[in-house]
Amino acid sequence: MTTVQDLGRFGHQAKGVNPTGAMDHISMRLINILLGNDENEAVIEFHYPTPTITFEEHAIFSIGGADFSPSLNRKPVANWKIHTAAPGDMLTFGKKQKGERAYLSVKGGFKLPKVLGSSSTNLRAGFGGLKIIKGMSLDLNLKNGTLFEASKKIALAPKTVNVALRPYIKNEQEIRIIGGAELDSLDQDSRNKIFGQRFIVSGHSDRMGYRLEGDCINRNSESEIISSSVAFGTIQLLPDGQLVILMADHQTTGGYPKIGNVISTDLPFLAQLSVGQHITFREISIDVAEKIVLKQEKEIKKFKASVKLYS
Amino acid sequence: MNYRIHPLSENAITLYFEQKISPEINDLVIASCLWIEENSFPGFIEVVPAYASLTVFYDLVELINQGYKSPFLFVKSKMQEIPFESLKTGNKPKNLIEIPVEYSGEDLQIVGRHSKLSEKEIIKLHTEPEYRVYMMGFLPGFAYMGGLNQKLATPRKKKPRLKVPAGSVGIAGAQTGIYPLESPGGWQLIGHTDKKLFDPSDRKLSLLSTGDYVKFKAV
């Protein structure tokens, strides 16, 4: 599946409009920064099996996130770098090296109308962004003259995203979470099961949520939960004793017990996990979570400043 | 005022009132949301009402960039500033929205068998109440409503339909609702309305909002 995504459509959840947006928001931001784009510029999110992309105009582009062995006119091009394409050039992909979701950004972005302030694709409601299918073509904001002007500056810019900033993709991932509103209502045995076992990402996992498989967790409480807001990363305990992690296309509200919420720096790891891979959970305080985000944002800011020097 | 504040994520905080479904508590939620919107603060993105809670979404990065050491504590303190005792609730004029429904749903017979009521009785009982919208969610423009006559309560379909058309009016357990968009779903369908429930190109976006009242009218 190939869609257009940005950082999501916020401001209308009170009307039930779910934010959607890129699953691996860090990879998306990084390649936009690399190209000197706005961090929120819409990108193409794609999966394996991959699309083949033909350039009909000159373009400057970058790919990030999952590594699907990209080639331009059969010559390998690397992720996290700046590339140029001429009319007729063909971007193809080969072996799936690691990760599940790749991002393609072009200098200046795609020409797409924003709906309610965002270009993200709301697949369920069928509006905004674009679900891209074979044969479609997308217009670019920067063409010929304006693009060449922009490209003069880019030649001097840092040519790659620091390795330390890229979401690190491995086979078994520790996911850090802050405790949810109903975590304290669980007994010690259930807590041990959440923080002491390895969960498998099940086949029922998509942009809406990941169903996990593990030892059944009991909630020894009869008290009914009244639905309230949920977020990207909310972990809910389902009536069958299994966990679900809500992902980018989650709905705005949920009525199952909230065990916790994956911290935003770890969402990209989840976004890049494959079915069958393992995760474990570790609980951290909101205070520590904020410090982790702060540290990452500092590094991203530094990277951004190094790009700005040249643009 | 009895309430509990809990982080939902590092970008959102939920304030829970007494966990009860009642118009009074839901009014308090709506008034609190209004107060937050009128007393906005740096990094504020949106506030979202639910049955008996409200959630403030904020831009953590923006707050960090503006020098706030703990965005969570800052936003929490803003939520604690809500003057709960003096909020004006309940004296707002009731926003009653009439929705014309053609009661010809495919599952009318199933609801009839389950409730042991005739079609006529089902329509009478379904059009009688003024349903309160307690929360929006599930789909853009979908209203969670309270007030269904318990005689009409019917369990969901065991096998959800892959495509329920937009405008379908249905019953699921003790709830009634309207599908704003075509979607898969397990509700028992009793009717259909031509009213547009959700339109991303319209400024109002959604026909219904939390706190509104709905009356169905058979056509």
mmCIF file of all heavy atoms in Angstrom, chain A residues 10-16 124-125 179-181 226-229 252-253 261 263-264 290 293-294 297 301, chain B residues 4 6 8-10 16 19-20 46 51 53 55 60 64-65 70-72 135-137 140-141 183 205 209:
data_model
loop_
_atom_site.group_PDB
_atom_site.id
_atom_site.type_symbol
_atom_site.label_atom_id
_atom_site.label_comp_id
_atom_site.label_asym_id
_atom_site.label_seq_id
_atom_site.Cartn_x
_atom_site.Cartn_y
_atom_site.Cartn_z
ATOM 1 N N PHE A 10 -4.440 17.246 12.882
ATOM 2 C CA PHE A 10 -4.913 17.479 14.242
ATOM 3 C C PHE A 10 -5.890 18.646 14.271
ATOM 4 O O PHE A 10 -5.968 19.424 13.327
ATOM 5 C CB PHE A 10 -3.725 17.737 15.175
ATOM 6 C CG PHE A 10 -2.987 16.471 15.494
ATOM 7 C CD1 PHE A 10 -1.958 16.034 14.670
ATOM 8 C CD2 PHE A 10 -3.349 15.701 16.584
ATOM 9 C CE1 PHE A 10 -1.291 14.841 14.932
ATOM 10 C CE2 PHE A 10 -2.689 14.513 16.862
ATOM 11 C CZ PHE A 10 -1.658 14.087 16.045
ATOM 12 N N GLY A 11 -6.635 18.758 15.331
ATOM 13 C CA GLY A 11 -7.550 19.888 15.521
ATOM 14 C C GLY A 11 -9.010 19.547 15.307
ATOM 15 O O GLY A 11 -9.873 20.384 15.524
ATOM 16 N N HIS A 12 -9.306 18.327 14.869
ATOM 17 C CA HIS A 12 -10.702 17.965 14.595
ATOM 18 C C HIS A 12 -11.105 16.645 15.242
ATOM 19 O O HIS A 12 -12.067 16.013 14.828
ATOM 20 C CB HIS A 12 -10.938 17.918 13.084
ATOM 21 C CG HIS A 12 -10.475 19.158 12.391
ATOM 22 N ND1 HIS A 12 -11.192 20.329 12.407
ATOM 23 C CD2 HIS A 12 -9.325 19.430 11.729
ATOM 24 C CE1 HIS A 12 -10.522 21.265 11.758
ATOM 25 N NE2 HIS A 12 -9.388 20.742 11.335
ATOM 26 N N GLN A 13 -10.343 16.237 16.259
ATOM 27 C CA GLN A 13 -10.669 14.965 16.922
ATOM 28 C C GLN A 13 -11.999 15.056 17.666
ATOM 29 O O GLN A 13 -12.663 14.045 17.873
ATOM 30 C CB GLN A 13 -9.557 14.557 17.886
ATOM 31 C CG GLN A 13 -8.281 14.166 17.174
ATOM 32 C CD GLN A 13 -7.302 13.472 18.103
ATOM 33 O OE1 GLN A 13 -7.423 12.299 18.390
ATOM 34 N NE2 GLN A 13 -6.316 14.216 18.586
ATOM 35 N N ALA A 14 -12.377 16.288 18.074
ATOM 36 C CA ALA A 14 -13.659 16.463 18.766
ATOM 37 C C ALA A 14 -14.823 16.073 17.860
ATOM 38 O O ALA A 14 -15.919 15.783 18.343
ATOM 39 C CB ALA A 14 -13.809 17.897 19.243
ATOM 40 N N LYS A 15 -14.597 16.055 16.537
ATOM 41 C CA LYS A 15 -15.637 15.633 15.589
ATOM 42 C C LYS A 15 -15.386 14.200 15.113
ATOM 43 O O LYS A 15 -15.956 13.755 14.120
ATOM 44 C CB LYS A 15 -15.660 16.553 14.366
ATOM 45 C CG LYS A 15 -15.812 18.029 14.700
ATOM 46 C CD LYS A 15 -17.239 18.398 15.013
ATOM 47 C CE LYS A 15 -17.385 19.919 15.096
ATOM 48 N NZ LYS A 15 -18.676 20.296 15.653
ATOM 49 N N GLY A 16 -14.461 13.545 15.777
ATOM 50 C CA GLY A 16 -14.174 12.158 15.431
ATOM 51 C C GLY A 16 -13.177 11.978 14.290
ATOM 52 O O GLY A 16 -12.985 10.865 13.805
ATOM 53 N N ARG A 124 -9.779 5.268 5.982
ATOM 54 C CA ARG A 124 -11.117 4.816 6.389
ATOM 55 C C ARG A 124 -12.197 5.776 5.957
ATOM 56 O O ARG A 124 -13.263 5.372 5.512
ATOM 57 C CB ARG A 124 -11.167 4.622 7.899
ATOM 58 C CG ARG A 124 -10.740 3.238 8.311
ATOM 59 C CD ARG A 124 -11.206 2.943 9.703
ATOM 60 N NE ARG A 124 -12.480 2.256 9.714
ATOM 61 C CZ ARG A 124 -13.144 2.005 10.824
ATOM 62 N NH1 ARG A 124 -12.671 2.423 11.976
ATOM 63 N NH2 ARG A 124 -14.282 1.365 10.789
ATOM 64 N N ALA A 125 -11.927 7.081 6.113
ATOM 65 C CA ALA A 125 -12.956 8.064 5.784
ATOM 66 C C ALA A 125 -12.891 8.448 4.308
ATOM 67 O O ALA A 125 -13.812 9.061 3.788
ATOM 68 C CB ALA A 125 -12.805 9.294 6.657
ATOM 69 N N GLY A 179 2.958 4.452 31.847
ATOM 70 C CA GLY A 179 1.811 3.695 32.346
ATOM 71 C C GLY A 179 0.500 4.340 31.938
ATOM 72 O O GLY A 179 0.371 5.561 31.930
ATOM 73 N N GLY A 180 -0.497 3.511 31.612
ATOM 74 C CA GLY A 180 -1.800 4.014 31.216
ATOM 75 C C GLY A 180 -2.741 4.142 32.406
ATOM 76 O O GLY A 180 -2.428 3.689 33.515
ATOM 77 N N ALA A 181 -3.894 4.741 32.149
ATOM 78 C CA ALA A 181 -4.849 5.051 33.224
ATOM 79 C C ALA A 181 -5.309 3.802 33.980
ATOM 80 O O ALA A 181 -5.642 3.885 35.152
ATOM 81 C CB ALA A 181 -6.053 5.797 32.652
ATOM 82 N N ILE A 226 -15.429 3.439 30.638
ATOM 83 C CA ILE A 226 -16.195 4.343 29.787
ATOM 84 C C ILE A 226 -15.225 4.928 28.760
ATOM 85 O O ILE A 226 -14.137 5.371 29.111
ATOM 86 C CB ILE A 226 -16.863 5.445 30.639
ATOM 87 C CG1 ILE A 226 -17.901 4.798 31.562
ATOM 88 C CG2 ILE A 226 -17.499 6.504 29.755
ATOM 89 C CD1 ILE A 226 -18.575 5.740 32.522
ATOM 90 N N SER A 227 -15.614 4.889 27.498
ATOM 91 C CA SER A 227 -14.715 5.294 26.417
ATOM 92 C C SER A 227 -14.151 6.702 26.610
ATOM 93 O O SER A 227 -14.848 7.605 27.067
ATOM 94 C CB SER A 227 -15.452 5.261 25.076
ATOM 95 O OG SER A 227 -15.750 3.933 24.740
ATOM 96 N N SER A 228 -12.876 6.852 26.241
ATOM 97 C CA SER A 228 -12.221 8.160 26.279
ATOM 98 C C SER A 228 -11.199 8.218 25.145
ATOM 99 O O SER A 228 -11.037 7.252 24.399
ATOM 100 C CB SER A 228 -11.559 8.377 27.638
ATOM 101 O OG SER A 228 -10.584 7.390 27.869
ATOM 102 N N SER A 229 -10.511 9.363 25.027
ATOM 103 C CA SER A 229 -9.558 9.543 23.932
ATOM 104 C C SER A 229 -8.417 8.541 23.997
ATOM 105 O O SER A 229 -7.989 8.151 25.082
ATOM 106 C CB SER A 229 -8.961 10.953 23.990
ATOM 107 O OG SER A 229 -9.898 11.895 23.564
ATOM 108 N N THR A 252 -10.347 7.834 17.192
ATOM 109 C CA THR A 252 -10.036 8.843 18.219
ATOM 110 C C THR A 252 -10.332 8.388 19.646
ATOM 111 O O THR A 252 -9.793 8.941 20.589
ATOM 112 C CB THR A 252 -10.821 10.139 17.957
ATOM 113 O OG1 THR A 252 -12.215 9.807 17.867
ATOM 114 C CG2 THR A 252 -10.388 10.804 16.668
ATOM 115 N N THR A 253 -11.244 7.402 19.794
ATOM 116 C CA THR A 253 -11.623 7.002 21.150
ATOM 117 C C THR A 253 -11.538 5.493 21.317
ATOM 118 O O THR A 253 -11.592 4.744 20.339
ATOM 119 C CB THR A 253 -13.078 7.415 21.454
ATOM 120 O OG1 THR A 253 -13.931 6.852 20.456
ATOM 121 C CG2 THR A 253 -13.228 8.922 21.431
ATOM 122 N N ASN A 261 1.233 3.826 27.072
ATOM 123 C CA ASN A 261 1.401 4.471 25.778
ATOM 124 C C ASN A 261 2.870 4.430 25.380
ATOM 125 O O ASN A 261 3.746 4.786 26.178
ATOM 126 C CB ASN A 261 0.921 5.926 25.858
ATOM 127 C CG ASN A 261 0.266 6.367 24.566
ATOM 128 O OD1 ASN A 261 -0.939 6.246 24.414
ATOM 129 N ND2 ASN A 261 1.071 6.824 23.617
ATOM 130 N N ILE A 263 6.230 5.574 24.018
ATOM 131 C CA ILE A 263 6.751 6.940 23.905
ATOM 132 C C ILE A 263 7.071 7.243 22.436
ATOM 133 O O ILE A 263 7.399 6.338 21.658
ATOM 134 C CB ILE A 263 7.966 7.197 24.826
ATOM 135 C CG1 ILE A 263 9.195 6.405 24.397
ATOM 136 C CG2 ILE A 263 7.608 6.905 26.282
ATOM 137 C CD1 ILE A 263 10.446 6.820 25.145
ATOM 138 N N SER A 264 6.953 8.523 22.073
ATOM 139 C CA SER A 264 6.973 8.862 20.646
ATOM 140 C C SER A 264 8.298 8.502 19.973
ATOM 141 O O SER A 264 8.322 8.177 18.790
ATOM 142 C CB SER A 264 6.630 10.335 20.429
ATOM 143 O OG SER A 264 7.527 11.149 21.130
ATOM 144 N N GLU A 290 9.874 12.469 28.754
ATOM 145 C CA GLU A 290 10.084 13.823 28.241
ATOM 146 C C GLU A 290 11.568 14.096 28.006
ATOM 147 O O GLU A 290 11.950 14.723 27.020
ATOM 148 C CB GLU A 290 9.513 14.856 29.226
ATOM 149 C CG GLU A 290 7.990 14.904 29.207
ATOM 150 C CD GLU A 290 7.422 15.949 30.155
ATOM 151 O OE1 GLU A 290 8.049 16.236 31.200
ATOM 152 O OE2 GLU A 290 6.329 16.477 29.849
ATOM 153 N N VAL A 293 12.661 12.433 24.781
ATOM 154 C CA VAL A 293 12.209 13.200 23.616
ATOM 155 C C VAL A 293 13.068 14.460 23.464
ATOM 156 O O VAL A 293 13.516 14.796 22.363
ATOM 157 C CB VAL A 293 10.710 13.579 23.737
ATOM 158 C CG1 VAL A 293 10.284 14.456 22.570
ATOM 159 C CG2 VAL A 293 9.848 12.329 23.791
ATOM 160 N N LEU A 294 13.312 15.125 24.590
ATOM 161 C CA LEU A 294 14.122 16.352 24.580
ATOM 162 C C LEU A 294 15.494 16.090 23.962
ATOM 163 O O LEU A 294 15.974 16.855 23.125
ATOM 164 C CB LEU A 294 14.268 16.874 26.013
ATOM 165 C CG LEU A 294 15.195 18.075 26.224
ATOM 166 C CD1 LEU A 294 14.600 19.314 25.563
ATOM 167 C CD2 LEU A 294 15.413 18.340 27.715
ATOM 168 N N GLU A 297 15.149 15.568 20.239
ATOM 169 C CA GLU A 297 14.845 16.818 19.547
ATOM 170 C C GLU A 297 16.074 17.716 19.441
ATOM 171 O O GLU A 297 16.246 18.434 18.465
ATOM 172 C CB GLU A 297 13.692 17.553 20.243
ATOM 173 C CG GLU A 297 12.338 16.893 20.040
ATOM 174 C CD GLU A 297 11.954 16.689 18.572
ATOM 175 O OE1 GLU A 297 12.246 17.571 17.742
ATOM 176 O OE2 GLU A 297 11.381 15.627 18.254
ATOM 177 N N LYS A 301 17.505 19.083 16.032
ATOM 178 C CA LYS A 301 17.703 20.525 15.874
ATOM 179 C C LYS A 301 19.112 20.830 15.346
ATOM 180 O O LYS A 301 19.294 21.682 14.484
ATOM 181 C CB LYS A 301 17.504 21.209 17.230
ATOM 182 C CG LYS A 301 16.547 22.385 17.186
ATOM 183 C CD LYS A 301 16.316 22.880 18.587
ATOM 184 C CE LYS A 301 15.924 24.338 18.578
ATOM 185 N NZ LYS A 301 15.642 24.809 19.948
ATOM 186 N N ARG B 4 -9.511 13.095 38.209
ATOM 187 C CA ARG B 4 -8.208 12.436 38.195
ATOM 188 C C ARG B 4 -7.527 12.840 36.892
ATOM 189 O O ARG B 4 -8.177 12.867 35.841
ATOM 190 C CB ARG B 4 -8.436 10.925 38.222
ATOM 191 C CG ARG B 4 -7.209 10.074 38.352
ATOM 192 C CD ARG B 4 -7.629 8.664 38.754
ATOM 193 N NE ARG B 4 -8.040 7.882 37.585
ATOM 194 C CZ ARG B 4 -7.262 6.939 37.019
ATOM 195 N NH1 ARG B 4 -6.070 6.676 37.499
ATOM 196 N NH2 ARG B 4 -7.692 6.264 35.980
ATOM 197 N N HIS B 6 -4.402 12.073 34.229
ATOM 198 C CA HIS B 6 -3.432 11.035 33.871
ATOM 199 C C HIS B 6 -2.839 11.335 32.495
ATOM 200 O O HIS B 6 -3.572 11.704 31.585
ATOM 201 C CB HIS B 6 -4.133 9.669 33.849
ATOM 202 C CG HIS B 6 -3.176 8.529 33.959
ATOM 203 N ND1 HIS B 6 -2.897 7.904 35.156
ATOM 204 C CD2 HIS B 6 -2.404 7.935 33.034
ATOM 205 C CE1 HIS B 6 -1.993 6.959 34.943
ATOM 206 N NE2 HIS B 6 -1.681 6.952 33.664
ATOM 207 N N LEU B 8 -1.926 10.676 28.856
ATOM 208 C CA LEU B 8 -2.301 9.681 27.854
ATOM 209 C C LEU B 8 -1.053 9.286 27.081
ATOM 210 O O LEU B 8 -0.806 8.119 26.801
ATOM 211 C CB LEU B 8 -3.384 10.244 26.924
ATOM 212 C CG LEU B 8 -3.743 9.424 25.688
ATOM 213 C CD1 LEU B 8 -4.319 8.065 26.072
ATOM 214 C CD2 LEU B 8 -4.736 10.164 24.800
ATOM 215 N N SER B 9 -0.261 10.299 26.717
ATOM 216 C CA SER B 9 1.031 10.084 26.069
ATOM 217 C C SER B 9 1.902 11.268 26.496
ATOM 218 O O SER B 9 1.458 12.058 27.321
ATOM 219 C CB SER B 9 0.859 10.059 24.548
ATOM 220 O OG SER B 9 0.587 11.365 24.075
ATOM 221 N N GLU B 10 3.099 11.433 25.927
ATOM 222 C CA GLU B 10 3.840 12.650 26.310
ATOM 223 C C GLU B 10 3.309 13.863 25.559
ATOM 224 O O GLU B 10 3.814 14.959 25.718
ATOM 225 C CB GLU B 10 5.335 12.652 26.153
ATOM 226 C CG GLU B 10 6.225 11.535 25.813
ATOM 227 C CD GLU B 10 5.967 10.738 24.595
ATOM 228 O OE1 GLU B 10 5.011 9.941 24.629
ATOM 229 O OE2 GLU B 10 6.707 10.866 23.614
ATOM 230 N N TYR B 16 -10.167 12.852 34.034
ATOM 231 C CA TYR B 16 -11.344 12.000 34.224
ATOM 232 C C TYR B 16 -12.195 12.540 35.373
ATOM 233 O O TYR B 16 -11.695 12.707 36.479
ATOM 234 C CB TYR B 16 -10.926 10.572 34.595
ATOM 235 C CG TYR B 16 -10.115 9.850 33.537
ATOM 236 C CD1 TYR B 16 -8.716 9.935 33.520
ATOM 237 C CD2 TYR B 16 -10.737 9.057 32.580
ATOM 238 C CE1 TYR B 16 -7.966 9.261 32.562
ATOM 239 C CE2 TYR B 16 -9.995 8.371 31.623
ATOM 240 C CZ TYR B 16 -8.612 8.480 31.618
ATOM 241 O OH TYR B 16 -7.876 7.802 30.679
ATOM 242 N N GLN B 19 -16.521 8.460 36.735
ATOM 243 C CA GLN B 19 -16.754 7.669 35.523
ATOM 244 C C GLN B 19 -18.180 7.130 35.500
ATOM 245 O O GLN B 19 -18.459 5.994 35.890
ATOM 246 C CB GLN B 19 -15.706 6.574 35.399
ATOM 247 C CG GLN B 19 -14.328 7.139 35.053
ATOM 248 C CD GLN B 19 -14.325 7.959 33.758
ATOM 249 O OE1 GLN B 19 -14.426 7.412 32.676
ATOM 250 N NE2 GLN B 19 -14.239 9.295 33.861
ATOM 251 N N LYS B 20 -19.068 8.009 35.030
ATOM 252 C CA LYS B 20 -20.491 7.734 34.999
ATOM 253 C C LYS B 20 -21.040 8.375 33.723
ATOM 254 O O LYS B 20 -20.569 9.446 33.327
ATOM 255 C CB LYS B 20 -21.122 8.400 36.224
ATOM 256 C CG LYS B 20 -22.386 7.761 36.720
ATOM 257 C CD LYS B 20 -22.810 8.396 38.051
ATOM 258 C CE LYS B 20 -23.674 9.612 37.807
ATOM 259 N NZ LYS B 20 -24.139 10.276 39.026
ATOM 260 N N GLU B 46 -5.330 20.828 20.697
ATOM 261 C CA GLU B 46 -6.785 20.675 20.706
ATOM 262 C C GLU B 46 -7.224 20.008 22.007
ATOM 263 O O GLU B 46 -6.434 19.361 22.685
ATOM 264 C CB GLU B 46 -7.278 19.852 19.505
ATOM 265 C CG GLU B 46 -6.733 18.426 19.439
ATOM 266 C CD GLU B 46 -7.213 17.679 18.207
ATOM 267 O OE1 GLU B 46 -8.378 17.834 17.823
ATOM 268 O OE2 GLU B 46 -6.412 16.921 17.627
ATOM 269 N N TYR B 51 -17.238 10.926 27.049
ATOM 270 C CA TYR B 51 -18.387 10.787 27.949
ATOM 271 C C TYR B 51 -18.165 11.533 29.270
ATOM 272 O O TYR B 51 -18.953 12.391 29.647
ATOM 273 C CB TYR B 51 -18.616 9.311 28.296
ATOM 274 C CG TYR B 51 -19.298 8.509 27.230
ATOM 275 C CD1 TYR B 51 -18.568 7.795 26.294
ATOM 276 C CD2 TYR B 51 -20.686 8.447 27.178
ATOM 277 C CE1 TYR B 51 -19.197 7.030 25.322
ATOM 278 C CE2 TYR B 51 -21.331 7.686 26.212
ATOM 279 C CZ TYR B 51 -20.578 6.977 25.282
ATOM 280 O OH TYR B 51 -21.203 6.239 24.334
ATOM 281 N N SER B 53 -14.780 12.495 30.388
ATOM 282 C CA SER B 53 -13.377 12.913 30.433
ATOM 283 C C SER B 53 -13.092 13.876 29.298
ATOM 284 O O SER B 53 -13.866 13.972 28.347
ATOM 285 C CB SER B 53 -12.452 11.693 30.306
ATOM 286 O OG SER B 53 -12.615 11.101 29.031
ATOM 287 N N THR B 55 -9.532 15.329 26.956
ATOM 288 C CA THR B 55 -8.115 15.127 26.704
ATOM 289 C C THR B 55 -7.547 16.333 25.979
ATOM 290 O O THR B 55 -8.098 16.764 24.967
ATOM 291 C CB THR B 55 -7.891 13.846 25.882
ATOM 292 O OG1 THR B 55 -8.435 12.738 26.600
ATOM 293 C CG2 THR B 55 -6.402 13.598 25.637
ATOM 294 N N LEU B 60 4.592 18.869 22.402
ATOM 295 C CA LEU B 60 5.695 18.723 23.357
ATOM 296 C C LEU B 60 6.948 19.446 22.865
ATOM 297 O O LEU B 60 7.620 20.145 23.628
ATOM 298 C CB LEU B 60 5.982 17.228 23.530
ATOM 299 C CG LEU B 60 7.171 16.832 24.376
ATOM 300 C CD1 LEU B 60 6.905 17.121 25.823
ATOM 301 C CD2 LEU B 60 7.465 15.349 24.196
ATOM 302 N N ILE B 64 9.077 22.385 24.593
ATOM 303 C CA ILE B 64 10.508 22.216 24.897
ATOM 304 C C ILE B 64 11.288 23.385 24.293
ATOM 305 O O ILE B 64 12.114 24.006 24.947
ATOM 306 C CB ILE B 64 11.027 20.856 24.369
ATOM 307 C CG1 ILE B 64 10.510 19.711 25.247
ATOM 308 C CG2 ILE B 64 12.544 20.839 24.315
ATOM 309 C CD1 ILE B 64 10.779 18.319 24.701
ATOM 310 N N ASN B 65 10.947 23.691 23.018
ATOM 311 C CA ASN B 65 11.637 24.796 22.339
ATOM 312 C C ASN B 65 11.408 26.134 23.036
ATOM 313 O O ASN B 65 12.249 27.020 22.973
ATOM 314 C CB ASN B 65 11.191 24.900 20.873
ATOM 315 C CG ASN B 65 11.766 23.777 20.037
ATOM 316 O OD1 ASN B 65 12.762 23.157 20.412
ATOM 317 N ND2 ASN B 65 11.137 23.493 18.896
ATOM 318 N N SER B 70 9.177 20.850 32.130
ATOM 319 C CA SER B 70 8.294 19.688 32.078
ATOM 320 C C SER B 70 6.975 20.076 31.434
ATOM 321 O O SER B 70 6.077 20.601 32.092
ATOM 322 C CB SER B 70 8.022 19.103 33.463
ATOM 323 O OG SER B 70 6.986 18.136 33.335
ATOM 324 N N PRO B 71 6.842 19.832 30.148
ATOM 325 C CA PRO B 71 5.574 20.139 29.473
ATOM 326 C C PRO B 71 4.389 19.475 30.166
ATOM 327 O O PRO B 71 3.326 20.073 30.279
ATOM 328 C CB PRO B 71 5.787 19.583 28.064
ATOM 329 C CG PRO B 71 7.267 19.682 27.859
ATOM 330 C CD PRO B 71 7.861 19.368 29.198
ATOM 331 N N PHE B 72 4.579 18.244 30.667
ATOM 332 C CA PHE B 72 3.469 17.551 31.336
ATOM 333 C C PHE B 72 2.971 18.351 32.536
ATOM 334 O O PHE B 72 1.775 18.616 32.664
ATOM 335 C CB PHE B 72 3.901 16.141 31.783
ATOM 336 C CG PHE B 72 2.897 15.470 32.693
ATOM 337 C CD1 PHE B 72 1.651 15.093 32.210
ATOM 338 C CD2 PHE B 72 3.189 15.239 34.038
ATOM 339 C CE1 PHE B 72 0.708 14.493 33.049
ATOM 340 C CE2 PHE B 72 2.253 14.641 34.876
ATOM 341 C CZ PHE B 72 1.010 14.270 34.377
ATOM 342 N N MET B 135 -20.420 11.650 22.871
ATOM 343 C CA MET B 135 -19.035 11.625 22.410
ATOM 344 C C MET B 135 -19.025 11.406 20.896
ATOM 345 O O MET B 135 -19.915 10.760 20.357
ATOM 346 C CB MET B 135 -18.301 10.464 23.106
ATOM 347 C CG MET B 135 -16.840 10.322 22.771
ATOM 348 S SD MET B 135 -16.058 8.975 23.725
ATOM 349 C CE MET B 135 -16.478 7.567 22.694
ATOM 350 N N MET B 136 -18.013 11.973 20.232
ATOM 351 C CA MET B 136 -17.805 11.697 18.810
ATOM 352 C C MET B 136 -16.605 10.753 18.699
ATOM 353 O O MET B 136 -15.645 10.866 19.467
ATOM 354 C CB MET B 136 -17.517 12.990 18.040
ATOM 355 C CG MET B 136 -18.595 14.067 18.164
ATOM 356 S SD MET B 136 -20.180 13.596 17.454
ATOM 357 C CE MET B 136 -19.751 13.558 15.709
ATOM 358 N N GLY B 137 -16.633 9.839 17.754
ATOM 359 C CA GLY B 137 -15.506 8.916 17.604
ATOM 360 C C GLY B 137 -15.859 7.776 16.676
ATOM 361 O O GLY B 137 -16.877 7.860 15.977
ATOM 362 N N PRO B 140 -15.019 9.655 11.562
ATOM 363 C CA PRO B 140 -15.300 11.088 11.521
ATOM 364 C C PRO B 140 -16.809 11.321 11.411
ATOM 365 O O PRO B 140 -17.474 10.734 10.560
ATOM 366 C CB PRO B 140 -14.577 11.548 10.248
ATOM 367 C CG PRO B 140 -13.458 10.570 10.081
ATOM 368 C CD PRO B 140 -14.017 9.252 10.556
ATOM 369 N N GLY B 141 -17.359 12.130 12.309
ATOM 370 C CA GLY B 141 -18.775 12.459 12.266
ATOM 371 C C GLY B 141 -19.686 11.452 12.939
ATOM 372 O O GLY B 141 -20.902 11.621 12.925
ATOM 373 N N SER B 183 -18.539 2.049 5.676
ATOM 374 C CA SER B 183 -17.527 1.432 6.530
ATOM 375 C C SER B 183 -17.933 -0.005 6.815
ATOM 376 O O SER B 183 -19.107 -0.353 6.744
ATOM 377 C CB SER B 183 -17.470 2.240 7.831
ATOM 378 O OG SER B 183 -17.093 1.444 8.923
ATOM 379 N N LEU B 205 -18.035 20.679 9.363
ATOM 380 C CA LEU B 205 -17.486 19.316 9.323
ATOM 381 C C LEU B 205 -18.506 18.226 9.615
ATOM 382 O O LEU B 205 -18.709 17.322 8.840
ATOM 383 C CB LEU B 205 -16.369 19.148 10.352
ATOM 384 C CG LEU B 205 -14.946 19.318 9.892
ATOM 385 C CD1 LEU B 205 -13.998 18.974 11.039
ATOM 386 C CD2 LEU B 205 -14.646 18.448 8.699
ATOM 387 N N SER B 209 -22.420 17.230 17.249
ATOM 388 C CA SER B 209 -21.325 17.494 18.177
ATOM 389 C C SER B 209 -21.715 16.987 19.563
ATOM 390 O O SER B 209 -22.903 16.858 19.869
ATOM 391 C CB SER B 209 -21.056 18.996 18.290
ATOM 392 O OG SER B 209 -20.613 19.515 17.066
#
